[in-house]
Amino acid sequence: MIKVTIVTDSDGEYKGFQITGHADYEEYGKDIICAAVSCLALNTMNSIEALTDDGTYGVTEDGLLKFRFTGGCSEQAELLMDSFVLGLTGIQEKYGSDYMKFRFKEV
């Protein structure tokens, strides 16, 4: 199962996200849920880097993707993160929570 944690502060400002695991929807290479979540996450990271001045860092390994803002989250980055959450919500609604779950965590 893919577990996505959206990290926010006590004011609800995005601080980043972390993704762990695999959906195991189908055999490796045909897992459309893993592909969709990976695409959304990488596009969000790349878009924030290319379209905003926000400082960020990211780590990717097999079964782990971690992304953090090193400072504040601009309005542009907030919109991109909202879009990411919208995409994750759509995946979970379409395929159920057997393959992917996401939550918000306040730090």
Side-chain angles (χ1 to χ4, degrees):
M1 172 184 300
I2 297 173
K3 294 180 182 176
V4 181
T5 303
I6 308 294
V7 181
T8 64
D9 66 11
S10 60
D11 294 325
E13 182 176 302
Y14 291 114
K15 293 298 175 187
F17 59 87
Q18 179 171 309
I19 303 172
T20 60
H22 294 281
D24 296 323
Y25 180 73
E26 282 196 26
E27 66 185 76
Y28 183 79
K30 295 184 178 183
D31 190 332
I32 60 174
I33 296 173
C34 273
V37 172
S38 295
C39 183
L40 281 172
L42 292 173
N43 187 64
T44 299
M45 292 169 58
N46 290 337
S47 295
I48 290 169
E49 182 180 319
L51 303 174
T52 75
D53 293 326
D54 296 31
T56 64
Y57 75 89
V59 175
T60 58
E61 298 173 8
D62 185 42
L64 169 69
L65 191 153
K66 186 184 286 189
F67 174 81
R68 293 287 185 271
F69 290 97
T70 58
C73 176
S74 67
E75 287 184 33
Q76 296 91 346
E78 182 178 5
L79 180 62
L80 293 166
M81 288 293 295
D82 286 344
S83 177
F84 177 54
V85 169
L86 181 66
L88 293 172
T89 301
I91 292 169
Q92 191 169 32
E93 288 174 358
K94 171 76 175 172
Y95 295 99
S97 59
D98 290 340
Y99 302 105
M100 186 201 71
K101 290 185 181 179
F102 77 95
R103 67 184 180 114
F104 287 86
K105 178 181 176 185
E106 185 180 303
V107 294

